[in-house]
Amino acid sequence: MEDSTGSNPQSPGFTEKLKSWLSWSWTYVCFLWFGMVLIMIYVLWSPLKLQETLTSGELRQILIFEWWYFRKYGTSFIEQVSVSHLRPLLGGVESSSTTGLFSSVNGDAEPRPSVSECKVWRNPLNLFRGAEYNRYTWVTGKEPLTYYDMNLSAQDHQTFFTGDTQQLRPEDAVMQKAWRERNPQARIRAAYQAIEINHQCAAAYVLLAEEEATTITEAERLFKKYFSVDLSISGKDINLLVYIKRRLAMCARKLGRIKEAVKMMRDLMKEFPLLGMLNIHENLLEALLELQAYADVQAVLAKYDDISLPKSATICYTSALLKARAVSDKFSPEAASRRGLSTAEMNAVEAIHRAVEFNPHVPKYLLEMKSLILPPEHILKRGDSEAVAYAFFHLQHWKRAEGALNLLHCTWEGTFRIIPYPLEKGHLFYPYPGCTETADRELLPSFHEVSVYPKKELPFFILFTAGLCSFTAMLAMLTHQFPELMGVFAKAFFSTLFAPLGFFADKMESFMPSSFWHQLTRI
């Protein structure tokens, strides 16, 4: 467990300050070393005939390609070639083989997932564009949603509402075009055109409620206007009914009618149990936490926090919150370090470690070490987008539980000591996927600094070794080119280096008897 320097989770401790100072100083040392290399190259340009070597610009092209490859793929091209092609020839075995086995939550061996693990999911608690996202744009002038995110929503609506119809009705054809429009006003005009064709076009009212309504009350009124659909008609009409009822429940939650929202969500889950992919239970968990109905929250977790079901930050961190809440009000880092952790405290710490391993980006938002933004309409599980979406809605629940954030602050970084490094395998979950950064940069707006884990930084030992080897190579080149001058420099350097030692030896001789060294040599 991490030591804490205080009970306030917001104040950085001495260790964090020391780490930041070391990283800051090492950055400037690297810049200084790089500047020395440039100066040395300039000095040796003519003596070593470097101009003839670099006239074609091949070295410059190689360096530019290496920089581009590292920024795009997170690894060096030379390193990748060495690992992929040279290591097998030398008898090595790749540690990140796609056929390797990894530990699951229950300890069983499971195959490593493929690249499809970076699937993008619809955000269960996504906001309303007209009533919430657009208001943010009016105030700040910034667009909270990316075109990639909105395009995914358009594809969802086309597939969910009109994708299974063999022959599109005229109003459905208009709505298919409406979802693809990039301009919000064009989408709204198309929705009104579909209503003119058929006054019962529920998809058009969905679009108006999502994008034209400027308040939640107005959006709720538009949803209620045409949410009753004939259940004998299967397919898209049932999908529309489920979607509208869910959004009505979310409207009730936002308007403060939380018990009504909980009842609507429970009825929806009971009536359509096969639509579990919509993750309505995450809406239910958030509403129950607002009611502080922790027993009901535990009952929902017991059903959905199962080994056979996919996990999410909501499930993992809500489970951690419930266990932390039981001990956090009396938790003290100093007392725990003296007497050790009790069973309940150990369970809470293990639950926090489990949650942090699943999504390591969440704690910085919960501890307000990083500023929040409006959540996107789609999230990437285990990514920064999911962390933003979870913390945006659940930060208030963590603050309500006394001491929960303090316990999180004291323990969350201990997770990274448990996970093997390099991350060729996980501890409780699959290895952390490497494709999250690229997807999160597409989902999150450009003004947001995307959290990256693991950070693509070279370890200190590698940097130190590279600097030492470069310095040794420069000394060898200088000695070969200017042997006499380097000999004089070496003598002066070592005489200066050993001057304190010689001064100390002279002082020792002045204090010791003249026969002391003779007697010492005889012994």
Side-chain angles (χ1 to χ4, degrees):
M1 184 174 65
E2 294 288 325
D3 293 336
S4 175
T5 57
S7 59
N8 184 10
Q10 314 300 332
S11 59
F14 175 76
T15 306
E16 287 76 6
K17 292 182 179 179
L18 181 61
K19 289 180 181 178
S20 63
W21 182 84
L22 287 176
S23 61
W24 173 82
S25 61
W26 179 248
T27 302
Y28 282 92
V29 169
C30 290
F31 275 117
L32 180 62
W33 171 78
F34 185 69
M36 292 175 60
V37 171
L38 291 179
I39 294 173
M40 192 61 63
I41 291 176
Y42 177 77
V43 172
L44 300 178
W45 186 269
S46 297
L48 296 183
K49 300 179 181 181
L50 295 178
Q51 186 173 1
E52 299 177 4
T53 308
L54 301 176
T55 50
S56 61
E58 294 178 355
L59 181 59
R60 189 192 318 169
Q61 295 176 7
I62 292 174
L63 292 175
I64 294 175
F65 176 77
E66 271 286 313
W67 174 82
W68 170 82
Y69 195 90
F70 182 81
R71 288 293 300 271
K72 185 173 181 64
Y73 298 104
T75 183
S76 168
F77 176 76
I78 298 176
E79 177 188 356
Q80 187 73 17
V81 171
S82 302
V83 172
S84 303
H85 302 285
L86 298 182
R87 183 183 293 181
L89 295 177
L90 297 176
V93 180
E94 291 189 45
S95 60
S96 58
S97 173
T98 55
T99 58
L101 298 178
F102 301 91
S103 174
S104 63
V105 177
N106 61 353
D108 298 332
E110 297 183 4
R112 179 173 182 172
S114 61
V115 180
S116 61
E117 65 190 351
C118 286
K119 173 184 176 182
V120 174
W121 297 74
R122 181 82 174 183
N123 183 5
L125 285 82
N126 65 300
L127 305 177
F128 292 84
R129 288 189 186 176
E132 292 171 306
Y133 286 120
N134 285 348
R135 296 172 71 89
Y136 177 83
T137 304
W138 298 338
V139 174
T140 64
K142 298 179 181 179
E143 291 290 343
L145 297 177
T146 63
Y147 282 119
Y148 175 75
D149 191 15
M150 291 190 288
N151 185 52
L152 290 176
S153 298
Q155 295 175 14
D156 292 341
H157 292 151
Q158 291 178 66
T159 305
F160 202 58
F161 297 153
T162 57
D164 59 347
T165 307
Q166 295 295 332
Q167 176 134 9
L168 290 177
R169 295 172 293 191
E171 63 272 19
D172 293 333
V174 173
M175 290 307 300
Q176 282 274 23
K177 180 182 177 182
W179 299 124
R180 293 193 296 266
E181 291 285 353
R182 274 183 112 172
N183 191 326
Q185 296 303 320
R187 291 195 293 269
I188 293 173
R189 286 196 298 269
Y192 278 115
Q193 182 181 351
I195 291 175
E196 291 178 1
I197 298 174
N198 181 7
H199 291 287
Q200 303 294 326
C201 183
Y205 285 96
V206 167
L207 191 147
L208 294 177
E210 293 283 352
E211 302 203 29
E212 189 186 38
T214 57
T215 63
I216 300 298
T217 304
E218 187 179 351
E220 184 182 38
R221 179 184 62 80
L222 288 170
F223 277 130
K224 283 183 175 179
K225 193 167 185 180
Y226 283 96
F227 79 95
S228 297
V229 180
D230 186 4
L231 292 182
S232 63
I233 303 177
S234 60
K236 69 180 184 63
D237 290 333
I238 293 181
N239 293 340
L240 268 169
L241 176 64
V242 173
Y243 181 90
I244 293 176
K245 283 190 173 183
R246 177 183 186 165
R247 295 303 264 178
L248 280 171
M250 295 175 68
C251 288
R253 161 68 182 92
K254 293 174 184 292
L255 293 174
R257 306 194 306 270
I258 306 174
K259 292 184 178 180
E260 177 186 345
V262 168
K263 183 180 184 304
M264 294 174 69
M265 293 173 191
R266 288 189 185 276
D267 293 342
L268 201 54
M269 293 167 62
K270 184 177 180 181
E271 189 175 359
F272 302 98
L274 298 180
L275 293 178
M277 62 179 181
L278 299 178
N279 296 322
I280 303 176
H281 60 275
E282 296 196 9
N283 300 84
L284 179 61
L285 284 172
E286 196 279 327
L288 290 173
L289 285 172
E290 182 65 22
L291 289 175
Q292 301 185 43
Y294 297 110
D296 293 336
V297 172
Q298 185 61 53
V300 175
L301 285 177
K303 181 178 180 181
Y304 289 95
D305 194 3
D306 186 80
I307 183 59
S308 61
L309 298 177
K311 299 294 178 291
S312 67
T314 301
I315 290 177
C316 293
Y317 277 91
T318 302
S319 177
L321 173 60
L322 292 187
K323 293 181 180 179
R325 176 180 167 272
V327 298
S328 60
D329 56 338
K330 300 178 181 178
F331 176 77
S332 171
E334 294 80 8
S337 62
R338 288 195 304 268
R339 58 173 171 78
L341 294 175
S342 64
T343 303
E345 290 174 340
M346 182 61 70
N347 291 336
V349 171
E350 290 177 354
I352 290 175
H353 286 179
R354 171 179 180 257
V356 174
E357 182 182 349
F358 182 83
N359 193 318
H361 309 290
V362 173
K364 286 191 175 181
Y365 294 107
L366 293 180
L367 298 173
E368 299 182 76
M369 300 166 63
K370 191 174 181 183
S371 59
L372 274 173
I373 60 171
L374 294 184
E377 293 183 340
H378 288 79
I379 60 174
L380 183 67
K381 289 190 175 181
R382 308 188 74 179
D384 191 36
S385 52
E386 183 191 35
V388 169
Y390 172 80
F392 185 86
F393 294 100
H394 289 263
L395 175 59
Q396 57 181 333
H397 307 314
W398 279 83
K399 287 184 174 180
R400 188 179 293 124
E402 183 182 356
L405 289 176
N406 181 41
L407 180 60
L408 177 68
H409 170 72
C410 297
T411 58
W412 74 279
E413 289 184 336
T415 308
F416 306 118
R417 294 198 298 268
I418 303 174
I419 303 175
Y421 186 85
L423 305 177
E424 68 270 8
K425 62 179 181 177
H427 177 61
L428 297 175
F429 296 100
Y430 289 121
Y432 192 81
C435 57
T436 55
E437 180 183 1
T438 304
D440 279 332
R441 292 191 187 278
E442 296 286 342
L443 292 172
L444 296 169
S446 58
F447 58 83
H448 174 72
E449 182 183 355
V450 176
S451 295
V452 180
Y453 173 79
K455 290 185 178 180
K456 296 173 182 176
E457 295 178 349
L458 292 175
F460 174 80
F461 176 75
I462 295 180
L463 293 174
F464 176 77
T465 305
L468 182 62
C469 292
S470 302
F471 182 72
T472 306
M474 282 194 297
L475 286 181
M477 285 175 19
L478 290 172
T479 305
H480 175 75
Q481 191 68 24
F482 311 105
E484 296 180 0
L485 183 61
M486 289 301 294
V488 173
F489 174 76
K491 290 180 181 178
F493 175 77
F494 284 109
S495 62
T496 304
L497 182 65
F498 291 111
L501 184 61
F503 176 78
F504 180 76
D506 293 340
K507 289 294 183 182
M508 290 292 293
E509 287 183 359
S510 63
F511 284 110
M512 296 294 178
S514 58
S515 61
F516 175 77
W517 296 110
H518 179 69
Q519 298 294 333
L520 189 62
T521 53
R522 292 185 61 183
I523 295 176

